[in-house]
Amino acid sequence: MNHAAAKWYDRRDCVFVEFCVEDSKDVHVNFDKAKMDFVCVSGTENIKHENSVDLFGEIDPIKSKHRRTDRSVLCCLRKAETGRAWPRLTKDKTKCNWLSLDFNNWKDWEDDSDEDMSKYDKFSEMMNSMEGDDLCDLDEHYSADSDDE
């Protein structure tokens, strides 16, 4: 099985996971209370990627969403218990060689200022309004917390 490379970061209400797969098709993301499954085919060689993640905490599978772009699939996992930080994405402490922290978006949200929360709220609203593969400009919102500015 080929795992898709992924990076993740934590926020007050959600955990974001980005599967870094270019030109993905046949994307299937299944959210369960304590688990997430990701399957897709990518590239001209139709390489199949499969990731199954037993999550650190519980999520709301109905309010969790995903969005496919040409370069990746971004998943917004809505936490069942908001305001609780996740020290890792996975239930087990074992290191997954396909998973890393998204340092461009990672921050200690417990010390958020009002301005930081405003940026997060805009991004969170956008993710909440998404329906599966909705066509919206994620790049603008995805980099809202980036250090590139």
Side-chain angles (χ1 to χ4, degrees), residues 54-81:
D54 289 322
L55 299 169
F56 173 80
E58 288 190 358
I59 62 170
D60 182 338
I62 294 170
K63 292 184 179 178
S64 297
K65 311 253 185 232
H66 75 280
R67 165 75 169 91
R68 189 192 81 68
T69 68
D70 289 341
R71 297 181 358 214
S72 65
V73 177
L74 180 63
C75 300
C76 174
L77 311 175
R78 178 66 63 176
K79 292 179 180 177
E81 183 181 339

Side-chain angles (χ1 to χ4, degrees), residues 78-92:
R78 178 66 63 176
K79 292 179 180 177
E81 183 181 339
T82 61
R84 181 175 174 229
W86 287 22
R88 61 185 178 278
L89 178 65
T90 61
K91 183 177 182 177
D92 295 329

Side-chain angles (χ1 to χ4, degrees), residues 33-131:
K33 281 176 80 169
K35 187 175 182 176
M36 178 178 87
D37 294 309
F38 171 79
V39 178
C40 79
V41 176
S42 72
T44 56
E45 297 154 9
N46 291 324
I47 299 170
K48 186 174 182 177
H49 300 278
E50 291 185 50
N51 297 64
S52 184
V53 183
D54 289 322
L55 299 169
F56 173 80
E58 288 190 358
I59 62 170
D60 182 338
I62 294 170
K63 292 184 179 178
S64 297
K65 311 253 185 232
H66 75 280
R67 165 75 169 91
R68 189 192 81 68
T69 68
D70 289 341
R71 297 181 358 214
S72 65
V73 177
L74 180 63
C75 300
C76 174
L77 311 175
R78 178 66 63 176
K79 292 179 180 177
E81 183 181 339
T82 61
R84 181 175 174 229
W86 287 22
R88 61 185 178 278
L89 178 65
T90 61
K91 183 177 182 177
D92 295 329
K93 290 184 180 182
T94 56
K95 174 93 171 105
C96 299
N97 60 0
W98 53 269
L99 182 64
S100 64
L101 281 175
D102 184 346
F103 288 106
N104 289 334
N105 288 295
W106 188 270
K107 63 187 231 173
D108 185 7
W109 53 259
E110 293 169 327
D111 298 329
D112 278 346
S113 67
D114 290 339
E115 179 183 335
D116 291 336
M117 283 306 294
S118 172
K119 285 182 183 179
Y120 168 74
D121 289 340
K122 287 179 186 176
F123 185 71
S124 183
E125 286 173 20
M126 186 273 308
M127 288 300 290
N128 287 335
S129 68
M130 285 179 16
E131 292 290 333

